[in-house]
Amino acid sequence: MREYTEKKETCGTICLKYLLFIFNFFFWLAGGAVMAVGAWTLAKKSDYISLLSSSTYSATAYILVVAGVVVMVTGILGCCATFKERRNLLRVYFILLLCIFLLEIIAGILAYIYYQQLSTELKENLKNTMTQKYRKEGEERVTSAVDKLQQEFKCCGSNNYTDWADSIWIRSPEASGRKVPDSCCKTITDLCGRRDHPSNIYKENGCITKLENFIQEHLKIIGIVGISIACVQIFGMIFTCCLYRSLKQEPY
């Protein structure tokens, strides 16, 4: 009876080892995906971060990058801990899983909270950012972001083209008589912003709604990725606990 029990426990341990190994393989791939989403957000979608008064959007992306790197390292550690059957390594692995779980939950929560606050923030700050910082010395990132925003989304100003009447730069001699920046023009040529006719500029299209929709879509992606991977990790932590309990206590 005793031999049967020991054999049964051994088989259970083997099953747990392979389950945890399979989990780690997919977990490692998921870590690459999480890191890629965070890096993609920062590298390709960061142009408009300078137009936001809050750093929450970029913070969620940085959290995903860090979590992704740690996930990939943890996946390798998990494989080593599983096949070497070292309880101390399993403890470290479990702690890392828990830390990553918390990081991804935080990223998901931040994305959700900022998703709710984004509309209010843009309404309160976008016009001021565009009119006060455009073409201002030291604010080259804002200038570049505004020009790209207006061209990419075919819009002009925060609410509409009349917002530019309050612009410090438009009122200055440097604007050379422009009524709006040249990036408001449907076809950009030098000084095309002098003519604000609907045939020339995106006269009725404000940028605020389009920027809001753009960022909200990416916040959804960040939130879904963070929460989804965190939920999957619960299984990894359960497998780790079960394997830890099934192994004999190491001598010290």
Side-chain angles (χ1 to χ4, degrees):
M1 181 72 179
R2 185 178 177 183
E3 290 179 1
Y4 173 76
T5 303
E6 289 178 352
K7 185 177 180 181
K8 183 178 180 182
E9 289 176 350
T10 302
C11 290
T13 301
I14 291 172
C15 289
L16 282 171
K17 284 172 61 177
Y18 280 99
L19 279 173
L20 197 53
F21 176 78
I22 292 169
F23 168 81
N24 276 302
F25 174 73
F26 287 105
F27 188 52
W28 187 85
L29 292 178
V34 168
M35 183 175 64
V37 169
W40 169 68
T41 300
L42 292 171
K44 299 294 184 180
K45 308 298 176 183
S46 63
D47 303 281
Y48 305 129
I49 289 177
S50 58
L51 300 179
L52 305 174
S53 59
S54 170
S55 60
T56 306
Y57 180 61
S58 56
T60 55
Y62 279 115
I63 288 174
L64 284 188
V65 171
V66 172
V69 172
V70 178
V71 163
M72 296 185 77
V73 174
T74 302
I76 296 172
L77 175 63
C79 289
C80 295
T82 301
F83 280 98
K84 289 188 177 182
E85 299 185 359
R86 299 292 299 274
R87 286 165 63 95
N88 57 341
L89 286 179
L90 284 172
R91 283 195 293 268
V92 174
Y93 175 65
F94 180 85
I95 292 170
L96 286 174
L97 278 181
L98 184 60
C99 290
I100 298 164
F101 175 82
L102 293 175
L103 273 177
E104 289 168 342
I105 289 293
I106 289 171
I109 291 173
L110 283 176
Y112 176 78
I113 291 173
Y114 193 56
Y115 183 93
Q116 303 298 319
Q117 298 175 344
L118 180 62
S119 179
T120 302
E121 177 188 318
L122 290 178
K123 287 176 182 176
E124 291 177 352
N125 299 300
L126 183 60
K127 178 183 175 181
N128 182 67
T129 299
M130 293 175 76
T131 57
Q132 302 301 310
K133 295 183 178 181
Y134 185 77
R135 291 295 183 98
K136 184 178 180 180
E137 187 176 351
E139 298 289 353
E140 288 78 14
R141 288 191 64 192
V142 172
T143 301
S144 175
V146 169
D147 286 336
K148 182 173 181 178
L149 175 67
Q150 295 188 142
Q151 277 296 294
E152 185 171 337
F153 293 111
K154 297 178 172 55
C155 57
C156 185
S158 177
N159 300 295
N160 56 56
Y161 82 104
T162 60
D163 290 340
W164 286 110
D166 298 324
S167 168
I168 294 174
W169 179 72
I170 288 294
R171 291 176 174 179
S172 71
E174 295 177 7
S176 303
R178 291 178 177 88
K179 295 180 180 178
V180 294
D182 292 342
S183 56
C184 282
C185 299
K186 295 178 180 179
T187 301
I188 296 181
T189 58
D190 191 32
L191 299 176
C192 64
R194 287 178 174 178
R195 183 169 171 264
D196 60 0
H197 191 272
S199 64
N200 185 50
I201 68 169
Y202 301 109
K203 192 168 184 176
E204 301 301 327
N205 298 335
C207 297
I208 187 168
T209 302
K210 295 184 178 183
L211 179 59
E212 180 183 346
N213 292 338
F214 173 83
I215 294 176
Q216 283 182 338
E217 285 301 313
H218 287 88
L219 286 172
K220 284 181 185 177
I221 294 172
I222 290 173
I224 290 170
V225 168
I227 298 297
S228 298
I229 301 301
C231 290
V232 171
Q233 283 178 238
I234 294 174
F235 293 101
M237 289 189 281
I238 292 172
F239 293 152
T240 304
C241 287
C242 293
L243 181 59
Y244 182 86
R245 287 171 177 266
S246 71
L247 296 177
K248 293 180 179 179
Q249 182 69 39
E250 291 178 354
Y252 290 99

